[in-house]
Amino acid sequence: MFGITILGNNSALPAHGRHPTSQIITIADQLLMLDCGEGTQFRIRDFRVKRSKINHIFISHLHGDHYFGLIGLLSSMSLLGRTQDLHLFSPAPLQQIIAQQTANNKLSFQINFHPLEGNELILEEEKFTVSSFRVIHKIECFGFLIKEKHKPRKVNADAALQAGIPPEDFEELQLGEDYVLPNGSIISNESVTFTGKENKSYAYCADTLYTETFLPFIKNANLIYHESTYLNDLTEQAKERFHSTAAQAATIALKANAKRLLLGHFSSKYKELDEFETQAKEIFPNTEISCEGVTYIV
């Protein structure tokens, strides 16, 4: 399963039953965490997320509503006896902050810190990759693109064996290559394989004013999460505070040729959220409001 579980969908202030930003990504039997706002570990408990399976945490930027829950989460992991290494991807200053906060209470596990530096591949696993891309906010801030990594083709084992291709060479077929038999005969790849699974992608567009600078990095994403702090009547305020409106988020999804859009990071000034979806759908119909506790399949 490739799914996104919303732990928190509000902006700086928790209000109206909504909490600061955090998400859990389930992919290839792993759990990744994107941002860790205040109270995240309570949401983990509420939604029965297995914290022991979280081995990679990605922090978009160092505003408190995106990382103030991290120290508490790390401390809880240690108190529960975690020994497995944890990989933390974040703007560089967070490393010193964590060192200061945990100086008197040594953690039971190793944190491998990976400073974010720009638009680049930051994690490559057997079945997925994670890349970072810059967005435009008051301080240095990054979005993340998580993409599956399936082989281009799926082997038709019966047809391949009948053609004389040994199992140890199936990987070549999965990569789309034709096969050359010892006698020089060529077996076309299409005759012994099926089309592989689509490599789906999820783009997490963190706090940002409206900008098209990162469009090349999120093109054709199956699902985009884009902040939508304000409604249309506060477009100028959104710009002044380096945030976006629901309509602007929808415009980005449209220009990126995305399949679906999730809205989030709502200002606490709004108790009801229906108008966010209404304004976004006028531009990009396949839009949903992100709801805490819900898992969205990519």
Side-chain angles (χ1 to χ4, degrees):
M1 183 183 80
F2 187 4
I4 317 303
T5 302
I6 306 298
L7 302 182
N9 66 350
N10 226 39
S11 55
L13 297 177
H16 316 301
R18 305 191 303 264
H19 303 78
T21 302
S22 186
Q23 300 182 4
I24 290 290
I25 314 303
T26 303
I27 185 169
D29 296 322
Q30 295 197 46
L31 299 184
L32 317 178
M33 176 175 283
L34 303 185
D35 281 335
C36 189
E38 183 181 0
T40 291
Q41 64 175 320
F42 293 104
R43 311 305 282 162
I44 287 175
R45 177 201 61 195
D46 294 342
F47 303 139
R48 298 183 179 181
V49 175
K50 293 184 178 179
R51 74 184 74 200
S52 61
K53 292 189 68 176
I54 301 172
N55 295 320
H56 301 85
I57 298 177
F58 302 82
I59 303 297
S60 63
H61 65 295
L62 299 185
H63 278 159
D65 56 320
H66 291 259
Y67 85 97
F68 274 178
L70 182 61
I71 300 300
L73 177 61
L74 297 177
S75 297
S76 294
M77 286 177 168
S78 184
L79 286 170
L80 290 169
R82 181 188 178 103
T83 57
Q84 189 171 357
D85 286 6
L86 185 141
H87 294 269
L88 178 59
F89 301 78
S90 166
L94 185 57
Q95 185 172 19
Q96 184 62 31
I97 293 172
I98 291 175
Q100 292 172 345
Q101 292 294 320
T102 60
N104 296 323
N105 294 287
K106 183 175 175 59
L107 298 176
S108 63
F109 57 93
Q110 176 71 35
I111 296 178
N112 297 315
F113 191 83
H114 308 270
L116 299 175
E117 298 179 348
N119 306 323
E120 60 184 341
L121 177 68
I122 57 175
L123 176 65
E124 183 164 17
E125 296 282 296
E126 181 182 357
K127 295 184 178 180
F128 68 92
T129 62
V130 182
S131 299
S132 62
F133 55 89
R134 290 185 180 275
V135 299
I136 301 179
H137 196 40
K138 287 184 178 180
I139 61 174
E140 185 177 51
C141 187
F142 297 86
F144 303 106
L145 179 71
I146 302 165
K147 188 171 184 178
E148 292 179 317
K149 197 172 70 171
H150 298 299
K151 296 286 197 309
R153 307 290 296 179
K154 182 179 180 181
V155 176
N156 180 341
D158 290 340
L161 291 171
Q162 190 172 356
I165 303 173
E168 57 267 26
D169 291 339
F170 282 5
E171 187 171 359
E172 296 177 35
L173 302 177
Q174 290 177 308
L175 295 175
E177 299 176 9
D178 292 336
Y179 190 83
V180 181
L181 294 172
N183 64 8
S185 300
I186 297 176
I187 306 297
S188 69
N189 187 274
E190 291 79 4
S191 67
V192 291
T193 63
F194 305 111
T195 301
K197 291 180 65 176
E198 175 191 3
N199 284 317
K200 295 182 178 180
S201 61
Y202 171 61
Y204 175 79
C205 305
D207 292 15
T208 182
L209 54 69
Y210 177 82
T211 175
E212 298 178 10
T213 56
F214 56 81
L215 274 177
F217 303 99
I218 65 172
K219 275 286 188 183
N220 303 314
N222 294 83
L223 179 62
I224 287 177
Y225 172 94
H226 196 292
E227 74 124 292
S228 54
T229 308
Y230 300 108
L231 294 173
N232 281 342
D233 61 324
L234 294 180
T235 298
E236 282 305 310
Q237 182 170 309
K239 182 177 180 180
E240 291 169 3
R241 298 184 178 183
F242 289 81
H243 285 297
S244 299
T245 66
Q248 289 172 336
T251 301
I252 290 296
L254 181 67
K255 293 192 173 188
N257 193 37
K259 290 184 173 62
R260 293 164 59 208
L261 170 65
L262 274 180
L263 300 177
H265 199 267
F266 307 111
S267 169
S268 59
K269 74 188 295 352
Y270 302 104
K271 184 176 182 180
E272 303 298 331
L273 302 177
D274 291 349
E275 188 61 23
F276 283 85
E277 189 170 292
T278 298
Q279 291 186 7
K281 280 187 170 182
E282 291 176 359
I283 298 168
F284 189 81
N286 202 6
T287 297
E288 298 175 68
I289 295 292
S290 63
C291 297
E292 294 184 8
V294 175
T295 297
Y296 299 87
I297 305 302
V298 178

